[in-house]
Amino acid sequence: LFADTGCITLSQYILLDPILMFFLMGAVLSMVKCNSCADRPFSASWWFWLSLTGVNLAGAMGVKFVGLFVVLLVGLNTIYDLWDLLGNLSLSLVVFGKHLLARVLCLILLPLALYTAMFAVHFTVLNKSGPGDGFFSSAFQSQLIGNNLYNVSVPEHLAYGSVVTMKNLRMAGGYLHSHWHLYPEGIGARQQQVTAYLHKDLNNLWIIKKHDSDTADLSDPSSPVEFVRHRDIIRLEHKETSRNLHSHQHEAPLTRKHFQVTGYGINGTGDSNDFWRIEVVGRKAGKLIKVLRSQVRLTHVATGCILGSSGKTLPKWGWEQVEVTCTPYLKETPNSLWNFEDHINPKLPNISLDVLKPSFAEILLESHMVMIRGNSGLKPKDNEVTSKPWHWPINYQGLRFSGVNETDYRVYLLGNPVIWWLNLVSIGLYLLMAVSTAVTLKRGVQLTSELKGEACKSFPLLKSVCVPELSRVVLRGGGQITLGWLLHYLPFFMMGRVLYFHHYFPAMLFSSMLTGVTWDTLLKFCAAFLSPSITAGKVYGGGFLALVLLIMYSFYLFHPLSYGMIGPMASDPSSPMAGLRWMDSWEF
């Protein structure tokens, strides 16, 4: 890997991938070393490597969710070991129980404890407000220094004339939002867009009004306060545009069989499709509605549908905000529940929000749900180069890290072609070798004693073809590596999020290790079966040297991709890199 231009490029930037790869390789190394101590269970070295495996698993998970794939790899290896131990009749069930408890302690409890401790430090250090506050619940935000909910006091109960923001209870559901832009032609009625927006914004503010009268008089300090109650029929007027929250039987932009939600009317004057019944979950009619604590549902009076956030991201015409619909399905889900967060009404007394402080477990769970949703909802930026999983093993297309023209200092993420294509060929060779080895061992075929003796005398490293350890090297060792490659590669075919070339690098580590196992075994076989006049050591050493020289020469050719290029692009015949553009899809 020291000669792979892709790994070098990644390690030169402040990215998560090199850190992930460090912990991933640490976990695999520790797992293998622990397996090598299987004949000395519960020894100091056995405990050390088992514990270090757990530490590396915690590190891999703490960097990226992709770290879960190596957790699965270690888990499957552990299950295999325990199953093998269970079949060993020389072990008592008490000893087997000790093995089981040791693995639970080091591979489950220890990683979870370390992972949780990381987030405890994270929440302690990163305790200030930022532009992403809107992704989190009101209770979470109330713990962030600088947030408008931190140590704040607001009126406890809603009243007519109050200016409020409404937050969807779905994780990262966003605030009810509107703006001057209209729905485009062909998308329902051409009225003002209503969306859910994940950030704080003045366009999140709404005024609560009675459905059958104006509330302008309620702004008069001398007018009496009239509270909003459970099952009241209200209007919500958008403060910035003075249009009412509105729905009708036009279909929603993205979600079929849901109704469109719009902003309608002029200066708060609209029609009967602006009326909504406000209902509090678990409350009786006439009860007051509390800020932050009451979970409310808005039912459209005319159609009977319920206001909700679908969680789907609108196209560019909707500013990639979240779709808001009115669903005719009355099933109660977080998508259709809201809470009132900001509450401005100078005529009402304020209360402190300290009573809403969430527990550490609630914060931990919420932060992970927000990360998962944010990760799955990533969209490519304009002119951004994305890729597909089938591109990656063949090194089909790289990724421009810096520079766009011949006057810029350009760095291009692309794997060393010789290494990557050798990895691809080696996967096929390994599968052929593994099948052949399995069939050979199943049929009981053995090497002749003359061949084994000559090979071992010529080159001691050939013990893998001299003893039954061949199956352990090719089938067990190579099989674990192949499983690691599959676990780190195949899941990307099922992911709906945007994907990039660098997502393959954890899998590339396993394919490179598989290449080492494959060619090591292949060279040993070739050396063992050649004429005795050619010493096995020379054959093995010569083959190994040829591979190293080939890889180093390819690194010499392609190293400018990692360390920087200047001058004409490779598509220009006068470019010094023109002869290295072996595929038309390479854009360096």
Side-chain angles (χ1 to χ4, degrees), residues 287-359:
K287 294 293 184 179
L288 300 182
I289 299 171
K290 294 184 177 182
V291 174
L292 294 176
R293 283 176 284 186
S294 291
Q295 298 181 3
V296 303
R297 177 175 53 242
L298 290 179
T299 302
H300 191 240
V301 175
T303 63
C305 61
I306 298 175
L307 184 72
S309 167
S310 70
K312 298 177 182 178
T313 303
L314 293 168
K316 293 188 185 300
W317 58 255
W319 304 94
E320 296 183 348
Q321 295 174 10
V322 180
E323 180 192 38
V324 168
T325 69
C326 199
T327 171
Y329 306 108
L330 305 183
K331 183 179 179 182
E332 191 172 286
T333 66
N335 297 50
S336 61
L337 296 177
W338 306 78
N339 72 271
F340 292 95
E341 185 173 287
D342 296 290
H343 183 204
I344 305 168
N345 194 322
K347 295 192 293 184
L348 295 175
N350 295 333
I351 64 163
S352 173
L353 298 183
D354 287 342
V355 295
L356 298 172
K357 183 178 180 180
S359 66

Side-chain angles (χ1 to χ4, degrees), residues 242-499:
S242 298
R243 297 189 190 276
N244 295 328
L245 185 69
H246 178 97
S247 187
H248 41 226
Q249 293 189 352
H250 290 275
E251 192 169 73
L254 302 179
T255 308
R256 297 187 61 187
K257 299 183 179 179
H258 285 212
F259 298 146
Q260 183 187 34
V261 177
T262 68
Y264 179 75
I266 300 175
N267 294 324
T269 301
D271 61 22
S272 60
N273 280 331
D274 304 337
F275 300 162
W276 301 83
R277 180 181 296 105
I278 185 168
E279 300 171 316
V280 184
V281 176
R283 288 290 185 93
K284 296 180 180 179
K287 294 293 184 179
L288 300 182
I289 299 171
K290 294 184 177 182
V291 174
L292 294 176
R293 283 176 284 186
S294 291
Q295 298 181 3
V296 303
R297 177 175 53 242
L298 290 179
T299 302
H300 191 240
V301 175
T303 63
C305 61
I306 298 175
L307 184 72
S309 167
S310 70
K312 298 177 182 178
T313 303
L314 293 168
K316 293 188 185 300
W317 58 255
W319 304 94
E320 296 183 348
Q321 295 174 10
V322 180
E323 180 192 38
V324 168
T325 69
C326 199
T327 171
Y329 306 108
L330 305 183
K331 183 179 179 182
E332 191 172 286
T333 66
N335 297 50
S336 61
L337 296 177
W338 306 78
N339 72 271
F340 292 95
E341 185 173 287
D342 296 290
H343 183 204
I344 305 168
N345 194 322
K347 295 192 293 184
L348 295 175
N350 295 333
I351 64 163
S352 173
L353 298 183
D354 287 342
V355 295
L356 298 172
K357 183 178 180 180
S359 66
F360 172 76
E362 291 172 328
I363 292 176
L364 184 65
L365 176 62
E366 181 176 346
S367 65
H368 280 70
M369 294 301 295
V370 170
M371 286 189 289
I372 291 171
R373 186 184 185 279
N375 187 61
S376 62
L378 288 175
K379 301 291 182 183
K381 301 181 178 67
D382 291 335
N383 301 319
E384 191 173 41
V385 178
T386 60
S387 60
K388 297 178 180 178
W390 69 265
H391 291 170
W392 303 338
I394 62 176
N395 217 20
Y396 178 77
Q397 186 178 39
L399 188 63
R400 186 182 295 113
F401 265 37
S402 63
V404 293
N405 54 54
E406 61 184 43
T407 61
D408 293 332
Y409 200 69
R410 304 188 302 277
V411 174
Y412 190 75
L413 177 66
L414 185 74
N416 184 326
V418 171
I419 294 177
W420 285 57
W421 293 341
L422 183 63
N423 287 347
L424 195 60
V425 170
S426 298
I427 291 172
L429 282 175
Y430 169 76
L431 293 176
L432 184 62
M433 287 171 49
V435 171
S436 301
T437 302
V439 172
T440 299
L441 294 175
K442 194 69 174 176
R443 295 295 298 173
V445 177
Q446 298 291 333
L447 294 174
T448 64
S449 57
E450 293 81 4
L451 180 59
K452 290 193 291 185
E454 182 64 35
C456 290
K457 284 187 292 183
S458 301
F459 192 33
L461 286 178
L462 294 181
K463 65 179 181 180
S464 63
V465 296
C466 304
V467 295
E469 289 184 1
L470 175 64
S471 62
R472 184 179 62 84
V473 174
V474 175
L475 299 181
R476 177 76 192 275
Q480 283 182 327
I481 296 172
T482 305
L483 179 61
W485 177 71
L486 293 172
L487 290 175
H488 286 80
Y489 179 46
L490 293 184
F492 288 100
F493 285 94
M494 297 175 281
M495 292 185 184
R497 55 153 292 174
V498 60
L499 298 172

Side-chain angles (χ1 to χ4, degrees), residues 21 37 61 81 129 269 412 448 470 502 515 572 582:
M21 291 158 69
C37 298
M61 289 190 300
D81 285 342
S129 177
T269 301
Y412 190 75
T448 64
L470 175 64
H502 65 82
T515 297
D572 187 338
W582 297 350

